[in-house]
Structure formats: C-alpha cells, structure tokens
C-alpha cells in the first residue's frame, strides 16, 4: 500500500493530495483538457443565459442560413439557431454521459468487490455474466437495450450504463483479488472486522485510482454512444437539442451543400470526447505509481 506521506529530495513532507495536484497542474495536457471540460460544464449550467436565442424557436426568414453575425453557426432546416442548440446540447450530453457512467460504475464496483473478495460460485456467476455482455460490441448492446426499452433520454442512460458495468466489475475485481491478500487486510480480518468494513474501508479505496481513470475516459465514450443512438433515431425526440439529433438533421442537407448543420455538432462531439480521453490519460499517468519518476 502506498505510504500516506511523500518526501521529496529536499526532505519536505507532502500529503498525497498536494502531490497529486502538483503533478496535475504541471501537466499541460491535464490542464488544457481539464480547463476545457470545466468550461463546458459552465456552458451547460448557464446555457439559458449564454444562448442568444431560444433553441426551439424558428426564424422562418433564415432557413438553413449559413453562419453570420446574427447566427454565429447558422441555422438548421427549421430556422433554429445552431449555436444556441449546441449550447443546450452540451447540457444534455454531459447529463447522459455523467449519469450513465455513474450508474454503471456503482453497479460494477459492487459486483467487482463481491466477486473478487468472496470468490467461488459468486465470482464465477458474475464474471460469466460479464463475459456474456463482453461478447457484444458496446454499440450493438446499447442498440439492443434501447430497442427493448424504447427510445428516450432515460432509456439511453440505462443502455449506456449496461455496457459499462462489466468493465468496471473486472477492474475492481482484479484490484480486490490483489488487495485482499495484503498484510494489512489480513491483520484487520484477524482482528475480527466484518466483511463490510473490510470492503468499504480497506479494499475499496485501493481500487479507486483505476476506477477514476476509467470513469473519466468512459464519459467521453458514453457521450459518443448517446450521440450515435440519437443519430440513428433511438435517442430522445428529434426536436430535442442534442448533438446527435442536430447531426442527424444535417445529414440530409449535406448533399445540397449545406455543410454547417453537420460540421459544428460534429466538432463539439469530437473535441469533448478527445478532452475526456486526454484527461483520463493524464490522470492515469498521475495516479499510477509505476509511471512516477
């Protein structure tokens, strides 16, 4: 187990949190990607005040209008301001990405802890169930879940959460198998501590570094999957300002030379997913003791 304090070459004692933040703020990739994500969160929170127009209001005098001073990113086929719709789309995309991955993480952590700690038939049952879910590509599994539950924003969250559960379960199980053999866990067990106390206080904290890294990267994947489901008509209603819906609306206009309807939501999805992946890589470099100098 990592020590609770860290001493640098000058003999100064640093707490793990101070050392973590020191390594993060000296990593330009982490600062850049984290700053963009923070800006995106602020945009989503203050969307009603930042959007210049109502995202559902149509301007019938400017149908599929190109970018201009009045409409910075142009308008869609119904004359709705594209810039305003993308701003409100950030709110929906972050909502889906965060809550779907959180749901999958909670279920995966519980299953991984039980499987790794108790082993036996429970471990076999949980891991074989994970193998069944791994047999399907993530996007195909999400389509199947939405096809069963029906289109809708909440059903998209459930679908994205389902294919996140087995990955979290495997990550936590692998860490639990290693940590339950540690000397401090054996000492606590010999002292008569209950399994619940051992799992929550002594094993779970040791798995969180890997979970945090994967959680960050999984949000980007979930945003991309949710946008893909909306693009093929399995997401929220078509008039909802969601990035996948906006991209799907611009699909029919591309052959007519109207490029901006598909370009700007595509850029928003690309940059957001890239930022979460880069932040996840930076967190992995910071939290993994094997990568420290």
């Amino acid at each position: 187990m990592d020590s609770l304090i860290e001493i640098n070459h000058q003999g100064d004692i640093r707490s793990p949190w101070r050392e973590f933040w020191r390594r993060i703020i000296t990593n330009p990739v982490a600062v850049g990607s984290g700053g963009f994500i923070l800006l995106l969160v602020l945009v989503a929170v203050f969307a009603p005040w930042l959007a210049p127009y109502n995202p559902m209001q149509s301007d019938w005098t400017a149908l599929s209008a190109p970018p201009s001073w009045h409409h910075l990113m142009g308008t869609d086929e119904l004359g709705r301001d594209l810039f305003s719709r993308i701003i409100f789309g950030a709110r929906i995309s972050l909502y889906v990405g965060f809550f779907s991955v959180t749901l999958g993480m909670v279920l995966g952590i519980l299953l991984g802890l039980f499987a790794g700690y108790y082993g036996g038939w429970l471990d076999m049952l949980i891991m074989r169930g994970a193998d069944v879910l791994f047999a399907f590509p993530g996007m195909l599994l999400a389509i199947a879940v939405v096809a069963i539950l029906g289109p809708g924003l909440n059903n998209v969250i459930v679908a994205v959460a389902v294919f996140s559960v087995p990955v979290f379960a495997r990550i936590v199980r692998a860490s639990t198998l290693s940590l339950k053999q540690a000397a401090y866990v054996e000492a606590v067990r010999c002292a008569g501590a209950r399994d619940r106390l051992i799992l929550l206080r002594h094993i779970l904290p040791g798995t969180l570094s890997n979970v945090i890294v994967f959680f960050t990267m999984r949000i980007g994947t979930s945003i991309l999957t949710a946008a893909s489901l909306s693009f093929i008509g399995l997401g929220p209603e078509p008039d909802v300002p969601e990035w996948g819906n906006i991209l799907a609306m611009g699909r029919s206009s591309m052959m007519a030379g109207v490029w901006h309807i598909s370009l700007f939501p595509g850029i928003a999805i690309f940059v957001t997913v890239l930022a979460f992946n880069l932040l996840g890589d930076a967190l992995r470099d910071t939290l993994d003791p094997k990568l420290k100098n």
Side-chain angles (χ1 to χ4, degrees):
M1 190 174 81
D2 294 334
S3 60
L4 295 179
I5 58 176
E6 192 164 322
I7 305 176
N8 64 7
H9 66 280
Q10 296 177 342
D12 298 330
I13 299 178
R14 290 197 179 109
S15 68
W17 278 110
R18 289 184 61 185
E19 181 64 17
F20 169 77
W21 285 113
R22 185 191 68 82
R23 294 176 63 87
I24 281 291
I25 62 177
T26 56
N27 188 330
V29 175
V31 173
S33 57
F36 175 80
I37 293 173
L38 178 60
L39 177 62
L40 190 65
V41 171
L42 294 176
V43 168
V45 171
F46 297 102
W49 295 273
L50 295 176
Y53 297 94
N54 186 330
M56 307 300 294
Q57 183 178 359
S58 298
D59 183 0
W60 301 109
T61 63
L63 302 180
S64 300
S68 63
W69 288 111
H70 295 288
H71 301 282
L72 296 179
M73 294 183 179
T75 62
D76 61 13
E77 294 178 342
L78 299 178
R80 295 173 296 193
D81 183 67
L82 203 57
F83 182 60
S84 301
R85 290 180 65 79
I86 289 179
I87 288 178
F88 275 88
R91 171 179 290 188
I92 297 176
S93 295
L94 290 178
Y95 170 79
V96 172
F98 178 80
F99 281 101
S100 61
V101 179
T102 300
L103 178 60
M105 178 188 67
V106 172
L107 295 177
I109 286 177
L110 292 176
L111 293 176
L113 285 175
F114 291 150
Y117 186 78
Y118 292 106
W121 65 269
L122 182 61
D123 182 23
M124 184 181 65
L125 179 64
I126 293 175
M127 287 300 101
R128 296 298 77 78
D131 290 338
V132 171
L133 295 180
F134 274 123
F136 299 92
M139 185 62 190
L140 182 60
L141 182 61
I143 292 175
V145 173
V146 173
I148 295 173
L149 299 178
L153 188 62
N154 292 331
N155 292 341
V156 169
I157 293 176
V158 174
V160 176
V162 166
F163 81 87
S164 297
V165 170
V167 188
F168 280 108
R170 280 199 169 183
I171 291 174
V172 175
R173 174 183 177 270
S175 299
T176 303
L177 287 173
S178 175
L179 292 173
K180 77 175 184 178
Q181 305 296 334
Y184 71 94
V185 174
E186 292 289 346
V188 172
R189 186 183 296 113
C190 293
R194 295 183 178 181
D195 290 346
R196 182 178 64 180
L197 178 64
I198 296 175
L199 287 172
L200 295 181
R201 180 172 295 182
H202 301 285
I203 292 182
L204 178 60
T207 68
L208 290 182
S209 60
N210 293 330
V211 169
I212 291 173
V213 172
F214 187 75
F215 176 85
T216 305
M217 301 180 71
R218 198 66 172 182
I219 291 178
T221 304
S222 300
I223 291 175
L224 183 61
T225 303
S228 302
L229 292 173
S230 299
F231 184 80
I232 61 178
L234 295 178
E237 291 75 10
D239 60 333
V240 174
E242 194 269 340
W243 289 344
N245 280 343
I246 302 172
L247 195 62
M249 174 167 285
R251 174 178 49 187
S252 60
S253 303
M254 292 184 65
M255 299 303 296
V258 182
W259 50 270
H260 63 277
I261 302 178
S262 298
L263 176 65
F264 292 114
I267 292 176
I269 295 172
F270 169 76
V271 175
T272 301
V273 174
L274 178 63
F276 276 105
N277 288 339
L278 290 177
L279 181 60
D281 286 338
L283 289 175
R284 180 200 61 195
D285 296 342
T286 303
L287 294 173
D288 191 346
K290 297 179 182 178
L291 299 178
K292 293 182 179 180
N293 295 326

